Amino acid sequence: VSENGEPPTAAVHELDRELGELGVVTDPVDLVRYCEPFRGRAGTTSAVLRPASIEQVRAVVAWARRHRVRLLPQGAVTGLVGASTPPPERGEQPSVVVSLERLDDEPVVDPVDRTAIVTAGTRLSRLNEAAAGHGLALPIDLGADPAIGGMAATNTGGARMLRHGDMRRHVLGLRAVIADEECTVVDDLSTLRKHNVGPSPSHWFVGSGGAFGIITHVALQLEQLPTSRACAWLIPTSDDAVLDVLLHLERHHGSWLEAFEVVSAAALDAALSRGSAVHPFGERAAPALSVLVEFTGDGGPGSADGGDAAEEHVVAALEELATEGWIEDGVVVDPTRAWLPRHAVSEGLRQMGTVLGFDVAVPRPALPSFLRRAREVVAQVAPDALVADFGHWGDGGVHCNVVLPGADRLDPELAQRVREAVLGLTVHEVGGSFSAEHGIGPTNADWWLATRPEGVQHLTRQFKAVVDPLGVLGHPGLPY
Ligand SMILES: Cc1cc2nc3c(=O)[nH]c(=O)nc-3n(C[C@H](O)[C@H](O)[C@H](O)COP(=O)(O)OP(=O)(O)OC[C@H]3O[C@@H](n4cnc5c(N)ncnc54)[C@H](O)[C@@H]3O)c2cc1C
Protein backbone atom coordinates (compact mmCIF):
# COMPACT_ATOMS: atom_id res chain seq x y z
CA VAL A 1 0.00 0.00 0.00
CA SER A 2 1.38 3.41 -0.91
CA GLU A 3 1.47 6.31 1.51
CA ASN A 4 -1.69 8.02 0.27
CA GLY A 5 -3.87 4.94 0.67
CA GLU A 6 -3.75 4.11 -3.04
CA PRO A 7 -2.45 0.88 -4.57
CA PRO A 8 1.15 1.46 -5.71
CA THR A 9 1.38 2.20 -9.42
CA ALA A 10 3.68 -0.76 -9.96
CA ALA A 11 1.07 -3.08 -8.48
CA VAL A 12 -1.64 -1.74 -10.80
CA HIS A 13 0.58 -2.20 -13.83
CA GLU A 14 1.08 -5.86 -12.96
CA LEU A 15 -2.27 -6.24 -14.70
CA ASP A 16 -1.22 -4.54 -17.95
CA ARG A 17 -0.38 -7.79 -19.70
CA GLU A 18 -3.40 -9.74 -18.47
CA LEU A 19 -6.00 -7.03 -19.19
CA GLY A 20 -4.35 -5.48 -22.24
CA GLU A 21 -3.98 -1.85 -23.22
CA LEU A 22 -7.68 -1.00 -22.78
CA GLY A 23 -7.99 -2.84 -19.51
CA VAL A 24 -6.05 -0.58 -17.14
CA VAL A 25 -6.93 3.13 -16.96
CA THR A 26 -4.66 5.42 -14.93
CA ASP A 27 -4.77 8.72 -16.80
CA PRO A 28 -6.33 11.21 -14.31
CA VAL A 29 -8.51 12.78 -17.03
CA ASP A 30 -9.91 9.42 -18.10
CA LEU A 31 -10.59 8.41 -14.49
CA VAL A 32 -13.01 11.27 -13.81
CA ARG A 33 -16.13 9.76 -15.40
CA TYR A 34 -15.82 6.60 -13.28
CA CYS A 35 -15.87 8.67 -10.10
CA GLU A 36 -18.91 10.89 -10.66
CA PRO A 37 -22.11 9.45 -9.21
CA PHE A 38 -25.52 10.20 -10.69
CA ARG A 39 -26.36 11.93 -7.40
CA GLY A 40 -24.04 13.03 -4.58
CA ARG A 41 -20.36 13.86 -4.23
CA ALA A 42 -17.65 12.56 -6.54
CA GLY A 43 -14.81 10.41 -5.22
CA THR A 44 -11.36 9.61 -6.57
CA THR A 45 -9.49 6.52 -7.67
CA SER A 46 -6.00 6.02 -9.02
CA ALA A 47 -7.03 3.23 -11.40
CA VAL A 48 -9.97 1.71 -13.19
CA LEU A 49 -9.72 -1.92 -14.24
CA ARG A 50 -11.80 -2.94 -17.28
CA PRO A 51 -11.83 -6.72 -17.67
CA ALA A 52 -13.28 -8.00 -20.94
CA SER A 53 -13.77 -11.68 -20.05
CA ILE A 54 -14.50 -13.84 -17.05
CA GLU A 55 -10.85 -14.96 -17.01
CA GLN A 56 -9.81 -11.33 -16.74
CA VAL A 57 -12.30 -10.78 -13.91
CA ARG A 58 -10.67 -13.70 -12.08
CA ALA A 59 -7.23 -12.19 -12.68
CA VAL A 60 -8.43 -8.89 -11.19
CA VAL A 61 -9.86 -10.61 -8.11
CA ALA A 62 -6.68 -12.64 -7.60
CA TRP A 63 -4.63 -9.44 -7.90
CA ALA A 64 -6.86 -7.67 -5.37
CA ARG A 65 -6.38 -10.53 -2.92
CA ARG A 66 -2.61 -10.41 -3.37
CA HIS A 67 -2.41 -6.69 -2.70
CA ARG A 68 -5.42 -6.40 -0.32
CA VAL A 69 -6.95 -3.81 -2.64
CA ARG A 70 -10.69 -3.28 -2.51
CA LEU A 71 -12.61 -3.63 -5.78
CA LEU A 72 -15.65 -1.51 -6.54
CA PRO A 73 -17.66 -3.27 -9.26
CA GLN A 74 -19.31 -0.72 -11.52
CA GLY A 75 -22.02 -0.90 -14.18
CA ALA A 76 -23.63 2.19 -15.69
CA VAL A 77 -23.34 4.35 -12.54
CA THR A 78 -27.08 5.01 -12.24
CA GLY A 79 -27.31 3.63 -8.69
CA LEU A 80 -28.76 6.04 -6.14
CA VAL A 81 -27.35 4.85 -2.81
CA GLY A 82 -23.76 6.04 -3.09
CA ALA A 83 -22.26 2.63 -3.94
CA SER A 84 -21.49 3.11 -7.64
CA THR A 85 -18.39 5.31 -7.33
CA PRO A 86 -15.45 5.61 -4.90
CA PRO A 87 -16.18 7.42 -1.63
CA PRO A 88 -15.37 11.17 -1.48
CA GLU A 89 -13.16 10.54 1.57
CA ARG A 90 -10.39 8.04 0.96
CA GLY A 91 -10.26 5.25 3.52
CA GLU A 92 -7.27 3.33 4.77
CA GLN A 93 -7.69 0.37 2.45
CA PRO A 94 -6.70 1.19 -1.14
CA SER A 95 -9.48 0.71 -3.65
CA VAL A 96 -9.95 0.71 -7.43
CA VAL A 97 -13.00 0.69 -9.67
CA VAL A 98 -13.74 -2.45 -11.73
CA SER A 99 -15.86 -1.30 -14.64
CA LEU A 100 -17.76 -4.09 -16.39
CA GLU A 101 -18.39 -1.91 -19.46
CA ARG A 102 -16.25 -4.09 -21.75
CA LEU A 103 -18.31 -7.17 -20.90
CA ASP A 104 -20.80 -5.93 -23.44
CA ASP A 105 -21.58 -8.76 -25.85
CA GLU A 106 -24.64 -8.89 -28.07
CA PRO A 107 -27.41 -10.45 -25.93
CA VAL A 108 -28.26 -14.03 -26.87
CA VAL A 109 -32.06 -14.08 -27.10
CA ASP A 110 -33.91 -17.38 -27.42
CA PRO A 111 -37.40 -16.54 -28.73
CA VAL A 112 -38.76 -20.06 -28.20
CA ASP A 113 -37.55 -20.21 -24.63
CA ARG A 114 -38.31 -16.49 -24.11
CA THR A 115 -34.99 -16.05 -22.35
CA ALA A 116 -31.76 -14.13 -22.86
CA ILE A 117 -28.19 -14.58 -21.73
CA VAL A 118 -26.62 -11.18 -21.18
CA THR A 119 -23.14 -10.04 -20.16
CA ALA A 120 -22.89 -7.81 -17.10
CA GLY A 121 -21.90 -4.59 -18.87
CA THR A 122 -24.66 -4.74 -21.49
CA ARG A 123 -27.17 -1.92 -21.14
CA LEU A 124 -30.87 -2.54 -20.62
CA SER A 125 -31.65 -0.62 -23.83
CA ARG A 126 -29.37 -2.90 -25.87
CA LEU A 127 -31.04 -6.01 -24.46
CA ASN A 128 -34.48 -4.59 -25.19
CA GLU A 129 -33.54 -3.68 -28.76
CA ALA A 130 -32.41 -7.26 -29.33
CA ALA A 131 -35.49 -8.70 -27.59
CA ALA A 132 -37.94 -6.41 -29.45
CA GLY A 133 -36.93 -8.09 -32.70
CA HIS A 134 -38.67 -11.17 -31.32
CA GLY A 135 -41.65 -9.33 -29.81
CA LEU A 136 -40.11 -9.70 -26.33
CA ALA A 137 -38.80 -7.40 -23.59
CA LEU A 138 -37.29 -7.30 -20.13
CA PRO A 139 -40.17 -5.20 -18.76
CA ILE A 140 -38.26 -3.39 -16.04
CA ASP A 141 -38.88 0.22 -16.80
CA LEU A 142 -37.10 3.19 -15.28
CA GLY A 143 -35.87 6.64 -16.20
CA ALA A 144 -32.27 5.45 -16.63
CA ASP A 145 -30.37 2.96 -18.78
CA PRO A 146 -28.46 0.73 -16.33
CA ALA A 147 -26.23 -2.25 -17.09
CA ILE A 148 -27.66 -5.74 -16.56
CA GLY A 149 -25.01 -6.66 -13.95
CA GLY A 150 -25.82 -3.49 -11.99
CA MET A 151 -29.51 -4.27 -12.22
CA ALA A 152 -28.98 -7.75 -10.82
CA ALA A 153 -26.65 -6.44 -8.10
CA THR A 154 -29.22 -3.83 -7.00
CA ASN A 155 -32.40 -5.82 -7.75
CA THR A 156 -33.89 -2.97 -9.78
CA GLY A 157 -37.66 -2.45 -9.51
CA GLY A 158 -39.18 0.30 -11.66
CA ALA A 159 -42.55 1.76 -12.57
CA ARG A 160 -44.02 -1.49 -13.92
CA MET A 161 -43.09 -3.64 -10.93
CA LEU A 162 -46.77 -3.90 -9.99
CA ARG A 163 -47.30 -6.20 -12.95
CA HIS A 164 -43.90 -7.63 -13.80
CA GLY A 165 -41.99 -7.73 -10.53
CA ASP A 166 -38.38 -6.77 -9.96
CA MET A 167 -35.07 -8.09 -11.27
CA ARG A 168 -35.19 -10.97 -8.79
CA ARG A 169 -38.28 -12.31 -10.51
CA HIS A 170 -36.56 -12.25 -13.91
CA VAL A 171 -33.14 -13.68 -13.03
CA LEU A 172 -33.15 -17.39 -13.90
CA GLY A 173 -29.46 -17.84 -13.19
CA LEU A 174 -26.15 -16.06 -13.25
CA ARG A 175 -22.40 -16.43 -13.23
CA ALA A 176 -20.22 -14.58 -10.73
CA VAL A 177 -16.62 -14.57 -9.51
CA ILE A 178 -16.17 -14.63 -5.74
CA ALA A 179 -13.06 -13.64 -3.79
CA ASP A 180 -12.28 -16.89 -1.97
CA GLU A 181 -8.79 -18.38 -2.22
CA GLU A 182 -9.50 -20.00 -5.61
CA CYS A 183 -11.38 -16.99 -7.05
CA THR A 184 -14.15 -19.44 -7.76
CA VAL A 185 -16.52 -18.96 -10.66
CA VAL A 186 -20.01 -19.63 -9.29
CA ASP A 187 -21.54 -20.97 -12.48
CA ASP A 188 -25.31 -21.09 -12.12
CA LEU A 189 -26.14 -19.63 -15.53
CA SER A 190 -29.19 -21.69 -16.34
CA THR A 191 -32.11 -20.51 -18.46
CA LEU A 192 -34.39 -23.26 -17.11
CA ARG A 193 -37.58 -22.03 -15.46
CA LYS A 194 -38.06 -25.35 -13.70
CA HIS A 195 -34.81 -26.18 -11.97
CA ASN A 196 -35.62 -27.10 -8.40
CA VAL A 197 -32.23 -28.50 -7.43
CA GLY A 198 -31.60 -27.13 -3.97
CA PRO A 199 -30.65 -23.63 -2.88
CA SER A 200 -30.24 -21.17 -5.75
CA PRO A 201 -26.83 -19.48 -5.48
CA SER A 202 -27.80 -16.98 -8.19
CA HIS A 203 -30.25 -15.31 -5.88
CA TRP A 204 -27.61 -14.81 -3.19
CA PHE A 205 -26.02 -12.28 -5.53
CA VAL A 206 -29.21 -10.45 -6.53
CA GLY A 207 -29.43 -7.30 -4.41
CA SER A 208 -26.01 -7.88 -2.82
CA GLY A 209 -24.63 -4.59 -4.20
CA GLY A 210 -21.30 -6.02 -5.33
CA ALA A 211 -20.28 -7.22 -1.88
CA PHE A 212 -20.51 -10.98 -2.55
CA GLY A 213 -19.05 -11.34 -6.04
CA ILE A 214 -18.59 -9.79 -9.45
CA ILE A 215 -21.48 -10.79 -11.69
CA THR A 216 -20.35 -11.48 -15.25
CA HIS A 217 -23.38 -13.06 -16.98
CA VAL A 218 -27.10 -13.13 -16.26
CA ALA A 219 -29.81 -15.44 -17.67
CA LEU A 220 -33.12 -13.62 -17.84
CA GLN A 221 -36.71 -14.50 -18.38
CA LEU A 222 -38.27 -12.20 -20.98
CA GLU A 223 -41.91 -11.29 -21.51
CA GLN A 224 -44.16 -10.64 -24.48
CA LEU A 225 -44.15 -7.02 -25.72
CA PRO A 226 -47.71 -5.71 -25.49
CA THR A 227 -49.34 -4.73 -28.78
CA SER A 228 -51.82 -2.31 -27.26
CA ARG A 229 -51.17 0.45 -24.73
CA ALA A 230 -53.25 3.25 -23.21
CA CYS A 231 -52.85 5.73 -20.35
CA ALA A 232 -55.14 7.92 -18.29
CA TRP A 233 -54.74 10.54 -15.59
CA LEU A 234 -57.38 10.48 -12.85
CA ILE A 235 -58.35 12.77 -9.97
CA PRO A 236 -59.55 10.72 -7.01
CA THR A 237 -62.31 12.18 -4.83
CA SER A 238 -60.16 11.74 -1.67
CA ASP A 239 -56.82 10.32 -0.52
CA ASP A 240 -58.53 7.17 0.69
CA ALA A 241 -60.41 6.76 -2.61
CA VAL A 242 -57.02 6.14 -4.32
CA LEU A 243 -56.96 2.69 -2.76
CA ASP A 244 -60.55 2.01 -3.89
CA VAL A 245 -59.49 2.95 -7.42
CA LEU A 246 -56.45 0.66 -7.22
CA LEU A 247 -58.43 -2.31 -5.90
CA HIS A 248 -61.18 -1.87 -8.48
CA LEU A 249 -58.65 -1.82 -11.31
CA GLU A 250 -56.85 -4.87 -9.95
CA ARG A 251 -60.07 -6.84 -9.44
CA HIS A 252 -61.78 -5.98 -12.70
CA HIS A 253 -58.98 -5.01 -15.09
CA GLY A 254 -56.03 -6.79 -13.49
CA SER A 255 -54.80 -8.40 -16.69
CA TRP A 256 -54.50 -4.93 -18.28
CA LEU A 257 -53.13 -2.88 -15.39
CA GLU A 258 -49.42 -2.20 -15.96
CA ALA A 259 -48.66 0.86 -13.82
CA PHE A 260 -50.35 2.86 -11.07
CA GLU A 261 -48.50 6.03 -10.14
CA VAL A 262 -49.69 8.66 -7.68
CA VAL A 263 -48.37 12.23 -7.75
CA SER A 264 -49.01 14.79 -5.01
CA ALA A 265 -50.00 18.38 -5.79
CA ALA A 266 -46.58 19.67 -4.70
CA ALA A 267 -44.77 17.23 -7.00
CA LEU A 268 -47.06 17.88 -9.97
CA ASP A 269 -46.78 21.65 -9.47
CA ALA A 270 -42.99 21.36 -9.49
CA ALA A 271 -43.09 19.33 -12.71
CA LEU A 272 -45.44 21.75 -14.42
CA SER A 273 -44.12 25.12 -13.29
CA ARG A 274 -40.41 24.41 -13.48
CA GLY A 275 -40.17 21.35 -15.69
CA SER A 276 -41.18 20.96 -19.30
CA ALA A 277 -44.42 18.96 -18.92
CA VAL A 278 -47.98 19.98 -19.82
CA HIS A 279 -50.82 19.71 -17.29
CA PRO A 280 -52.75 16.47 -17.89
CA PHE A 281 -56.04 18.16 -16.96
CA GLY A 282 -55.57 21.42 -18.89
CA GLU A 283 -55.34 24.80 -17.17
CA ARG A 284 -56.22 24.11 -13.54
CA ALA A 285 -54.53 23.86 -10.16
CA ALA A 286 -52.93 20.50 -9.40
CA PRO A 287 -55.30 18.34 -7.32
CA ALA A 288 -54.16 17.05 -3.91
CA LEU A 289 -53.38 13.72 -5.59
CA SER A 290 -53.38 12.71 -9.26
CA VAL A 291 -53.13 9.14 -10.50
CA LEU A 292 -51.51 7.94 -13.71
CA VAL A 293 -52.62 4.49 -14.85
CA GLU A 294 -51.31 2.51 -17.78
CA PHE A 295 -53.08 -0.45 -19.38
CA THR A 296 -51.29 -2.79 -21.76
CA GLY A 297 -52.17 -6.05 -23.41
CA ASP A 298 -52.65 -7.89 -26.62
CA GLY A 299 -55.22 -6.75 -29.13
CA GLY A 300 -55.81 -10.37 -30.09
CA PRO A 301 -55.37 -12.31 -33.33
CA GLY A 302 -55.89 -10.34 -36.50
CA SER A 303 -54.91 -7.05 -34.90
CA ALA A 304 -51.26 -6.62 -35.78
CA ASP A 305 -50.77 -3.46 -33.75
CA GLY A 306 -53.21 -4.36 -31.00
CA GLY A 307 -55.58 -1.59 -32.08
CA ASP A 308 -57.52 0.28 -29.45
CA ALA A 309 -58.11 -2.66 -27.12
CA ALA A 310 -56.25 -1.10 -24.17
CA GLU A 311 -57.94 2.25 -24.66
CA GLU A 312 -61.37 0.64 -24.72
CA HIS A 313 -60.59 -0.98 -21.37
CA VAL A 314 -59.31 2.29 -19.90
CA VAL A 315 -62.43 4.19 -20.99
CA ALA A 316 -64.68 1.50 -19.50
CA ALA A 317 -62.69 1.61 -16.25
CA LEU A 318 -62.99 5.41 -16.01
CA GLU A 319 -66.76 5.19 -16.35
CA GLU A 320 -66.97 2.57 -13.62
CA LEU A 321 -64.75 4.59 -11.27
CA ALA A 322 -66.83 7.74 -11.83
CA THR A 323 -70.08 5.81 -11.22
CA GLU A 324 -68.69 4.47 -7.95
CA GLY A 325 -67.84 8.04 -6.90
CA TRP A 326 -64.11 7.38 -6.55
CA ILE A 327 -62.90 9.85 -9.19
CA GLU A 328 -64.04 13.34 -10.02
CA ASP A 329 -62.26 13.52 -13.35
CA GLY A 330 -60.28 11.32 -15.69
CA VAL A 331 -58.67 11.89 -19.10
CA VAL A 332 -57.18 9.45 -21.56
CA VAL A 333 -53.73 10.70 -22.61
CA ASP A 334 -51.56 9.51 -25.48
CA PRO A 335 -49.04 7.05 -23.92
CA THR A 336 -46.14 8.86 -25.58
CA ARG A 337 -47.03 12.00 -23.58
CA ALA A 338 -48.72 10.62 -20.49
CA TRP A 339 -45.52 9.97 -18.52
CA LEU A 340 -43.93 13.38 -19.18
CA PRO A 341 -45.38 15.13 -16.09
CA ARG A 342 -44.40 12.16 -13.93
CA HIS A 343 -40.84 12.11 -15.29
CA ALA A 344 -40.50 15.90 -14.96
CA VAL A 345 -41.03 15.87 -11.18
CA SER A 346 -37.39 15.34 -10.17
CA GLU A 347 -36.13 18.04 -12.51
CA GLY A 348 -38.80 20.47 -11.22
CA LEU A 349 -38.04 19.75 -7.56
CA ARG A 350 -34.29 20.25 -8.01
CA GLN A 351 -34.98 23.79 -9.20
CA MET A 352 -36.93 24.56 -6.02
CA GLY A 353 -34.18 23.90 -3.50
CA THR A 354 -32.24 21.07 -1.93
CA VAL A 355 -34.03 17.77 -2.34
CA LEU A 356 -33.72 15.04 0.27
CA GLY A 357 -35.09 11.96 -1.47
CA PHE A 358 -36.42 9.00 0.52
CA ASP A 359 -37.17 5.84 -1.44
CA VAL A 360 -39.51 4.11 1.00
CA ALA A 361 -42.26 1.51 0.86
CA VAL A 362 -45.18 0.99 3.22
CA PRO A 363 -48.03 -1.52 3.39
CA ARG A 364 -50.63 -0.34 0.88
CA PRO A 365 -53.45 0.22 3.41
CA ALA A 366 -51.18 2.68 5.25
CA LEU A 367 -50.31 4.84 2.22
CA PRO A 368 -52.80 7.73 2.73
CA SER A 369 -52.20 8.01 6.47
CA PHE A 370 -48.43 7.63 6.01
CA LEU A 371 -48.31 10.65 3.72
CA ARG A 372 -50.44 12.75 6.08
CA ARG A 373 -48.11 11.81 8.96
CA ALA A 374 -45.01 12.46 6.80
CA ARG A 375 -46.10 16.08 6.42
CA GLU A 376 -46.58 16.35 10.20
CA VAL A 377 -43.25 14.83 11.22
CA VAL A 378 -41.30 16.82 8.65
CA ALA A 379 -42.99 20.08 9.75
CA GLN A 380 -41.89 19.35 13.33
CA VAL A 381 -38.19 19.22 12.43
CA ALA A 382 -38.10 21.48 9.35
CA PRO A 383 -41.02 23.94 9.29
CA ASP A 384 -39.84 25.52 5.99
CA ALA A 385 -39.64 22.22 4.14
CA LEU A 386 -42.04 21.03 1.45
CA VAL A 387 -43.01 17.35 1.15
CA ALA A 388 -43.44 16.60 -2.55
CA ASP A 389 -44.12 12.88 -2.83
CA PHE A 390 -44.88 10.69 -5.79
CA GLY A 391 -44.59 7.00 -6.25
CA HIS A 392 -45.51 3.54 -7.36
CA TRP A 393 -48.52 3.12 -5.04
CA GLY A 394 -49.44 -0.13 -6.74
CA ASP A 395 -46.53 -1.80 -4.95
CA GLY A 396 -46.48 0.45 -1.89
CA GLY A 397 -43.53 2.54 -3.10
CA VAL A 398 -43.26 6.25 -2.32
CA HIS A 399 -40.54 8.67 -3.33
CA CYS A 400 -41.01 10.85 -0.28
CA ASN A 401 -39.08 13.97 -1.33
CA VAL A 402 -38.45 16.73 1.14
CA VAL A 403 -37.43 20.04 -0.43
CA LEU A 404 -35.46 22.43 1.75
CA PRO A 405 -35.33 26.04 0.54
CA GLY A 406 -31.96 27.16 -0.84
CA ALA A 407 -29.74 25.13 -3.10
CA ASP A 408 -26.33 26.29 -1.98
CA ARG A 409 -25.62 24.92 1.46
CA LEU A 410 -27.27 21.98 3.16
CA ASP A 411 -27.19 21.88 6.96
CA PRO A 412 -26.14 18.28 7.61
CA GLU A 413 -27.73 18.22 11.06
CA LEU A 414 -31.06 19.37 9.69
CA ALA A 415 -30.84 16.81 6.89
CA GLN A 416 -30.17 14.10 9.47
CA ARG A 417 -33.18 15.17 11.59
CA VAL A 418 -35.44 15.04 8.52
CA ARG A 419 -34.05 11.63 7.62
CA GLU A 420 -34.64 10.25 11.12
CA ALA A 421 -38.17 11.65 11.10
CA VAL A 422 -39.17 10.19 7.70
CA LEU A 423 -37.44 6.82 8.05
CA GLY A 424 -38.50 6.49 11.70
CA LEU A 425 -42.12 7.00 10.69
CA THR A 426 -41.74 4.55 7.81
CA VAL A 427 -40.10 1.72 9.71
CA HIS A 428 -41.26 2.08 13.31
CA GLU A 429 -44.74 3.55 12.95
CA VAL A 430 -46.13 1.87 9.84
CA GLY A 431 -43.88 -1.18 9.42
CA GLY A 432 -42.46 -0.11 6.06
CA SER A 433 -39.06 -0.31 4.39
CA PHE A 434 -36.32 2.33 4.48
CA SER A 435 -35.23 1.18 1.00
CA ALA A 436 -38.02 0.29 -1.41
CA GLU A 437 -35.97 -0.17 -4.56
CA HIS A 438 -32.54 1.39 -4.50
CA GLY A 439 -30.76 -0.99 -2.13
CA ILE A 440 -28.28 -0.45 0.69
CA GLY A 441 -24.99 1.29 -0.16
CA PRO A 442 -23.39 3.91 2.11
CA THR A 443 -26.62 5.95 2.01
CA ASN A 444 -28.66 3.31 3.83
CA ALA A 445 -25.93 1.48 5.76
CA ASP A 446 -26.91 3.06 9.10
CA TRP A 447 -30.53 1.93 8.81
CA TRP A 448 -29.49 -1.56 7.78
CA LEU A 449 -27.37 -1.80 10.91
CA ALA A 450 -30.02 -0.25 13.14
CA THR A 451 -33.07 -2.16 11.96
CA ARG A 452 -32.28 -5.47 10.24
CA PRO A 453 -32.71 -8.34 12.72
CA GLU A 454 -29.60 -9.64 14.46
CA GLY A 455 -29.94 -13.08 12.85
CA VAL A 456 -30.10 -11.54 9.38
CA GLN A 457 -27.00 -9.44 10.01
CA HIS A 458 -25.14 -12.43 11.47
CA LEU A 459 -25.90 -14.69 8.51
CA THR A 460 -25.03 -11.94 6.01
CA ARG A 461 -21.61 -11.49 7.65
CA GLN A 462 -21.02 -15.25 7.82
CA PHE A 463 -21.78 -15.53 4.12
CA LYS A 464 -19.55 -12.56 3.33
CA ALA A 465 -16.70 -14.26 5.20
CA VAL A 466 -17.05 -17.30 2.92
CA VAL A 467 -17.22 -15.48 -0.42
CA ASP A 468 -14.80 -12.69 0.48
CA PRO A 469 -12.67 -13.65 3.50
CA LEU A 470 -10.10 -10.88 2.93
CA GLY A 471 -12.68 -8.12 2.44
CA VAL A 472 -11.71 -7.03 -1.06
CA LEU A 473 -15.16 -6.83 -2.66
CA GLY A 474 -17.66 -3.99 -2.76
CA HIS A 475 -17.92 -0.38 -1.74
CA PRO A 476 -16.21 0.29 1.63
CA GLY A 477 -19.36 2.08 2.85
CA LEU A 478 -21.45 -1.10 2.76
CA PRO A 479 -22.29 -2.50 6.20
CA TYR A 480 -21.23 -6.05 5.20
C1 LIG B 1 -33.21 8.61 -13.34
C2 LIG B 1 -33.12 7.33 -12.54
C3 LIG B 1 -34.27 6.61 -12.30
C4 LIG B 1 -34.20 5.43 -11.55
N1 LIG B 1 -35.35 4.73 -11.31
C5 LIG B 1 -35.30 3.58 -10.62
C6 LIG B 1 -36.49 2.82 -10.39
O1 LIG B 1 -37.59 3.22 -10.77
N2 LIG B 1 -36.36 1.65 -9.72
C7 LIG B 1 -35.14 1.19 -9.25
O2 LIG B 1 -35.09 0.11 -8.66
N3 LIG B 1 -34.01 1.89 -9.46
C8 LIG B 1 -34.07 3.06 -10.12
N4 LIG B 1 -32.91 3.77 -10.33
C9 LIG B 1 -31.65 3.27 -9.72
C10 LIG B 1 -30.70 2.50 -10.64
O3 LIG B 1 -31.00 2.67 -12.00
C11 LIG B 1 -30.50 1.06 -10.28
O4 LIG B 1 -29.98 0.92 -9.00
C12 LIG B 1 -29.61 0.43 -11.37
O5 LIG B 1 -30.24 -0.63 -11.91
C13 LIG B 1 -28.14 0.22 -11.10
O6 LIG B 1 -27.48 -0.27 -12.27
P1 LIG B 1 -26.08 0.31 -12.79
O7 LIG B 1 -25.63 -0.53 -13.92
O8 LIG B 1 -26.19 1.75 -13.06
O9 LIG B 1 -25.18 0.01 -11.53
P2 LIG B 1 -24.10 0.95 -10.81
O10 LIG B 1 -24.76 2.23 -10.40
O11 LIG B 1 -22.90 1.07 -11.63
O12 LIG B 1 -23.80 0.08 -9.51
C14 LIG B 1 -24.79 -0.11 -8.54
C15 LIG B 1 -24.34 -1.16 -7.53
O13 LIG B 1 -24.21 -2.43 -8.16
C16 LIG B 1 -22.88 -2.93 -8.03
N5 LIG B 1 -22.55 -3.58 -9.32
C17 LIG B 1 -22.63 -3.03 -10.55
N6 LIG B 1 -22.29 -3.94 -11.47
C18 LIG B 1 -21.98 -5.09 -10.82
C19 LIG B 1 -21.55 -6.38 -11.21
N7 LIG B 1 -21.38 -6.71 -12.48
N8 LIG B 1 -21.32 -7.31 -10.25
C20 LIG B 1 -21.50 -7.01 -8.94
N9 LIG B 1 -21.89 -5.80 -8.51
C21 LIG B 1 -22.14 -4.85 -9.44
C22 LIG B 1 -22.03 -1.72 -7.72
O14 LIG B 1 -20.87 -2.08 -6.99
C23 LIG B 1 -22.99 -0.88 -6.89
O15 LIG B 1 -23.03 -1.35 -5.58
C24 LIG B 1 -32.95 4.96 -11.06
C25 LIG B 1 -31.80 5.69 -11.33
C26 LIG B 1 -31.87 6.86 -12.06
C27 LIG B 1 -30.60 7.61 -12.32
Side-chain angles (χ1 to χ4, degrees), residues 106 109 111 125-137 222 224-225:
E106 182 63 20
V109 176
S125 58
R126 186 165 183 203
L127 166 61
N128 274 336
E129 272 164 35
H134 305 281
L136 299 171
L222 303 178
Q224 198 68 43
L225 260 180

Side-chain angles (χ1 to χ4, degrees), residues 172-183:
L172 295 168
L174 57 74
R175 195 176 279 154
V177 178
I178 60 173
D180 62 350
E181 211 176 327
E182 291 77 30
C183 304

Side-chain angles (χ1 to χ4, degrees), residues 38 72-80 83-84 100 120 141-144 146-151 153-159 209-210 213-216 392 399 437-438:
F38 188 87
L72 274 69
Q74 189 178 85
V77 197
T78 68
L80 297 176
S84 316
L100 280 304
D141 183 70
L142 66 163
I148 297 300
M151 291 180 75
T154 56
N155 186 29
T156 310
I214 301 185
I215 298 165
T216 59
H392 322 298
H399 294 300
E437 315 189 277
H438 297 161

Side-chain angles (χ1 to χ4, degrees), residues 225-249:
L225 260 180
T227 56
S228 184
R229 186 180 296 276
C231 290
W233 277 89
L234 328 174
I235 303 178
T237 45
S238 69
D239 294 5
D240 293 311
V242 179
L243 293 178
D244 294 318
V245 172
L246 173 60
L247 284 184
H248 181 86
L249 296 181

